[in-house]
């Protein structure tokens, strides 16, 4: 398996623009997680899905953020409108279970909002 | 609520010396414990996990971790550090129910000095 795939790897955009991050999890993994990593706040869980259904979105910072998982092999994280404080590295991860198996992380998307 | 602490932001060790990265946790019931490593500009990589059984868990790249229930600790160890071990290390914990999320610690930066 190719592992978790994320695109794009880097995104530079201007404040107010819509940003869409994409993720393809490992085949057979029932759980998909979106994280954000910054120097100030460390690694934050934004949302996770089980079998394509959002289970916990309590970490989503505000309504500007939304995530979907239309099928088992694809998920998106959208920010609309983007703000400079959204600049961070966004990771997608997948796993067999929510808490008892290791999570496999993608390479991340480095987002810069000017 | 579960939590995890990594008391050291930075650990420096000479190449060839043993290394320890500390982690303490708080969780209701029996914990599931994990260690991850993050190299620069990469996603987190799963190193090892403790579920039950032997308190000494062996993982990837020669790392091991010791579970100590009385001290609620799960320290990461390696007998002989390599320069290539320099990275950011995350401890993580989840509870024993199937719905418990994994909570990540703030990370410890390990520098192995040649």
């Amino acid at each position: 398996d190719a592992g978790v795939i994320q695109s794009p790897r880097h995104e530079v955009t201007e404040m107010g623009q819509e940003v869409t991050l994409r993720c393809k999890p490992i085949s057979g993994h029932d759980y998909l997680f979106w994280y954000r990593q910054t120097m100030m706040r460390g690694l934050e869980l934004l949302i996770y899905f089980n079998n394509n259904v959002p289970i916990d979105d309590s970490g989503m910072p505000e309504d500007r953020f939304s995530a979907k998982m239309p099928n088992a092999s694809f998920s998106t994280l959208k920010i609309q409108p983007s703000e400079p404080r959204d600049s961070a590295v966004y990771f997608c991860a997948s796993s067999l279970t929510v808490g008892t198996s290791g999570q496999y992380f993608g390479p991340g998307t480095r987002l810069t909002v000017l | 609520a579960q939590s995890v602490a990594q008391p050291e932001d930075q650990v420096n060790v000479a190449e060839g010396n043993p290394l320890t990265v500390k982690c303490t946790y708080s969780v209701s019931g029996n914990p599931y414990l994990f260690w991850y490593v993050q190299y620069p500009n990469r996603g987190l990589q799963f190193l090892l996990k403790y579920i039950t059984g032997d308190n000494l868990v062996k993982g990837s790249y020669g790392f091991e971790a010791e579970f100590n229930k009385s001290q609620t600790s799960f320290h990461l160890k390696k007998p002989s550090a390599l320069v290539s071990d320099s990275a950011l290390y995350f401890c993580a914990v989840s509870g024993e129910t199937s719905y418990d999320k994994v909570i990540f610690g703030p990370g410890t930066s390990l520098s192995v000095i040649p």
Side-chain angles (χ1 to χ4, degrees), chain A residues 68-114:
Chain A
K68 295 182 179 179
M69 192 166 185
N71 58 62
S73 60
F74 183 66
S75 178
T76 60
L77 178 68
K78 186 176 293 187
I79 308 172
Q80 166 63 20
S82 58
E83 297 182 2
R85 59 194 170 117
D86 301 330
S87 298
V89 181
Y90 290 81
F91 289 104
C92 175
S94 69
S95 69
L96 292 170
T97 66
V98 66
T100 58
S101 59
Q103 294 183 17
Y104 292 83
F105 283 72
T109 296
R110 182 173 295 276
L111 174 65
T112 302
V113 183
L114 303 174

Side-chain angles (χ1 to χ4, degrees), chain A residues 25-93:
Chain A
I26 292 173
S27 177
H29 282 187
D30 291 335
Y31 289 85
L32 183 140
F33 306 82
W34 282 101
Y35 291 91
R36 178 171 68 176
Q37 186 178 38
T38 61
M39 290 291 292
M40 291 296 295
R41 300 175 68 92
L43 191 67
E44 302 173 274
L45 175 64
L46 300 177
I47 185 171
Y48 79 90
F49 294 82
N50 178 23
N51 292 323
N52 315 335
V53 176
I55 302 300
D56 186 343
D57 64 355
S58 59
M60 295 287 261
E62 46 196 278
D63 292 345
R64 297 185 296 107
F65 286 69
S66 63
K68 295 182 179 179
M69 192 166 185
N71 58 62
S73 60
F74 183 66
S75 178
T76 60
L77 178 68
K78 186 176 293 187
I79 308 172
Q80 166 63 20
S82 58
E83 297 182 2
R85 59 194 170 117
D86 301 330
S87 298
V89 181
Y90 290 81
F91 289 104
C92 175

Side-chain angles (χ1 to χ4, degrees), chain B:
Chain B
Q2 59 216 42
S3 64
V4 59
Q6 295 180 243
E8 300 157 318
D9 292 336
Q10 174 83 36
V11 171
N12 297 320
V13 63
E15 186 178 20
N17 283 4
L19 70 85
T20 299
V21 182
K22 297 180 181 178
C23 171
T24 59
Y25 67 90
S26 174
V27 67
S28 299
N30 295 318
Y32 292 94
L33 295 156
F34 306 84
W35 275 103
Y36 290 80
V37 60
Q38 184 180 27
Y39 298 103
N41 300 313
R42 302 284 296 276
L44 279 69
Q45 294 180 34
F46 170 69
L47 273 180
L48 52 81
K49 69 178 180 181
Y50 171 83
I51 303 297
T52 186
D54 194 347
N55 289 343
L56 188 63
V57 180
K58 295 188 182 299
S60 306
Y61 312 120
F63 283 94
E64 57 189 24
E66 186 170 13
F67 172 64
N68 187 316
K69 188 172 184 177
S70 62
Q71 297 186 3
T72 61
S73 67
F74 189 56
H75 300 333
L76 181 70
K77 300 181 179 182
K78 188 174 183 181
S80 179
L82 301 173
V83 173
S84 57
D85 292 330
S86 298
L88 192 56
Y89 290 81
F90 292 91
C91 181
V93 64
S94 72
E96 60 182 344
T97 74
S98 59
Y99 299 102
D100 283 340
K101 297 180 293 188
V102 174
I103 304 298
F104 285 85
T108 297
S109 180
L110 173 69
S111 292
V112 180
I113 303 163

